[in-house]
Amino acid sequence: MAKTNSMIPIQNLYYLLCYAWNRLPEEAEVRAVSGQEFKRPLPLLAQVLLSGTRRLLRQGLPVAYAERTAELPELRGRVLLTPTLSQDLPRRGRAVCAFDELSPDAPLAGLLRGTLQQLSRSRALPTEQRLQIRQTLRRFPAAVVARPLGAASLRAARRLRPAGLGGFLLNVCELLHLSALPTPNAAGRARFRDFRRDEPLMARLFEQFVRNFYRLEQRQFRVSSETIAWQAAAETPEALALLPAMITDTSLESPARKIILDTKYYAAALKRHHDQARLISPHLYQLYAYLQNQPRQPGQQLEGILLYPAATQAVDLRYTLGGHPVRVVTIDLNQPWEGIAAALLALLAER
């Protein structure tokens, strides 16, 4: 994948992450993020995690069932025979039982506490921000055990499928983990990799951002990612199964129009070949294949869009390919958020 020559400004990352994770930006968080000058992603992510955790603490941390073992005067849950009989408890009308009980020590709560503890020790954060994190850590219930940020703690929290704010904060923790937040015992100076340089990660976030922006911000089209079946025949079903899958980044459908939109996180929509600028052929071939294999609905116009971030140059090209309108266009992610939102909505306007 070709690398982009410029990166998304820090102030726009909050919006991109919100929509990528299918969540409308919160007004309070927008004020908190907009009111500070962030030069790197880590302080921004720390601020988002901090303000979101504060709100979750006000609302009430998620609870989960945890197994407890105790000697009880009545039966509850499972009776543990070995300790019950070895202590001759039945004679006294008691038993050792294992039972599930709601506890504030849920995997997500422990993950948030552990991640904030690690951030509170990071020299990459401003002193004032680390102080605010430590103050927030004191608000956690004593029963919540800090779980260090890592693959195991992320899996445990993800297993309970938290939704809403909890799910959003879990995604923030995962992004911090992918960006190599050091473990508590890591030796040497802490280092945090700018995830904007991770091309596959940013390509995935850009795709999710565009799809979920349309899902949340307009009502004209139904939005999805769909698998398109090849309009093909073969001698055997096994041969058909060998054809590669065609899965759209974003499909927008209404009774009158269907738009197949493919996002490409590349440095430019054009590349030079023998001193001649050309569109990137695999991208155009892919979109053309989607359009040609898409069954046409009566009265519905089928269209295609290739969307790139404008890193080196702005492009807006319109074609008719195979009878379908096709647009190759860039969007400037370096402009204020209001301009980005307006440009995305303008893409859906009638040709």
Side-chain angles (χ1 to χ4, degrees):
M1 180 178 292
K3 292 185 179 297
T4 51
N5 294 330
S6 64
M7 293 186 289
I8 297 174
I10 298 294
Q11 298 298 337
N12 284 338
L13 274 180
Y14 169 70
Y15 291 97
L16 183 141
L17 295 176
C18 281
Y19 285 105
W21 297 329
N22 205 24
R23 178 174 180 262
L24 284 168
E26 294 280 349
E27 185 178 344
E29 283 178 5
V30 170
R31 287 197 303 268
V33 169
S34 302
Q36 300 186 47
E37 186 66 31
F38 296 103
K39 293 189 169 86
R40 299 182 310 279
L42 181 58
L44 172 70
L45 290 177
Q47 186 61 43
V48 171
L49 188 67
L50 177 61
S51 60
T53 301
R54 284 170 171 168
R55 192 159 68 258
L56 200 61
L57 285 165
R58 289 195 298 269
Q59 296 173 359
L61 289 171
V63 295
Y65 281 99
E67 187 174 80
R68 277 193 58 205
T69 300
E71 181 185 315
L72 302 174
E74 70 281 336
L75 297 183
R76 184 178 175 186
R78 296 181 295 110
V79 176
L80 303 182
L81 288 176
T82 300
T84 297
L85 297 177
S86 65
Q87 298 176 57
D88 199 21
L89 295 179
R91 186 187 299 273
R92 293 185 281 129
R94 302 178 70 83
V96 176
C97 301
F99 53 92
D100 289 334
E101 187 173 70
L102 276 177
S103 167
D105 187 28
L108 178 59
L111 175 65
L112 292 175
R113 188 170 195 172
T115 304
L116 287 172
Q117 280 185 356
Q118 288 174 244
L119 287 170
S120 72
R121 295 189 287 267
S122 173
R123 296 293 181 89
L125 296 181
T127 303
E128 177 60 28
Q129 193 175 42
R130 281 183 281 149
L131 178 61
Q132 292 176 13
I133 291 173
R134 293 187 189 111
Q135 291 171 344
T136 300
L137 283 168
R138 298 190 194 106
R139 295 169 54 188
F140 276 81
V144 175
V145 177
R147 293 169 170 82
L149 176 59
S153 56
L154 286 166
R155 275 197 308 271
R158 185 73 69 187
R159 199 174 295 125
L160 297 178
R161 302 189 180 195
L165 178 58
F168 177 76
L169 295 177
L170 175 56
N171 284 327
V172 175
C173 290
E174 189 164 19
L175 186 53
L176 285 164
H177 176 61
L178 290 173
S179 301
L181 185 67
T183 59
N185 300 321
R189 185 174 180 178
R191 298 193 58 163
F192 181 87
R193 181 169 53 91
D194 189 335
F195 66 86
R196 293 175 299 166
R197 300 183 187 279
D198 186 329
E199 296 291 322
L201 172 61
M202 288 304 302
R204 188 166 69 250
L205 287 173
F206 184 52
E207 174 192 329
Q208 294 170 346
F209 155 64
V210 172
R211 180 170 57 247
N212 289 328
F213 175 87
Y214 287 130
R215 185 175 284 145
L216 294 167
E217 295 293 355
Q218 60 80 44
R219 293 294 177 264
Q220 180 184 357
F221 296 93
R222 182 176 62 86
V223 181
S224 66
S225 172
E226 63 174 335
T227 300
I228 299 175
W230 286 89
Q231 303 299 303
E235 293 181 351
T236 65
E238 291 76 16
L240 275 177
L242 295 176
L243 290 172
M246 291 190 290
I247 304 173
T248 65
D249 291 348
T250 302
S251 295
L252 301 109
E253 187 167 11
S254 72
R257 300 169 68 200
K258 181 167 186 178
I259 303 170
I260 296 178
L261 189 154
D262 225 30
T263 54
K264 300 297 181 185
Y265 195 76
Y266 271 63
L270 305 175
K271 68 175 183 179
R272 301 201 70 81
H273 182 69
H274 299 309
D275 293 327
Q276 178 67 43
R278 301 281 188 188
L279 291 169
I280 301 173
S281 54
H283 298 174
L284 201 59
Y285 295 157
Q286 181 184 35
L287 182 61
Y288 186 70
Y290 289 172
L291 294 170
Q292 291 300 104
N293 287 277
Q294 177 69 48
R296 187 187 292 269
Q297 302 298 323
Q300 186 185 66
Q301 177 173 270
L302 184 60
E303 309 166 36
I305 297 176
L306 274 177
L307 181 63
Y308 297 83
T312 58
Q313 64 185 127
V315 169
D316 192 353
L317 303 169
R318 297 170 188 260
Y319 303 94
T320 299
L321 301 178
H324 307 297
V326 170
R327 187 174 179 186
V328 181
V329 63
T330 54
I331 184 167
D332 181 10
L333 299 178
N334 216 0
Q335 63 182 312
W337 166 250
E338 292 76 13
I340 296 174
L344 284 172
L345 293 173
L347 282 179
L348 306 185
E350 292 279 358
R351 182 170 176 173

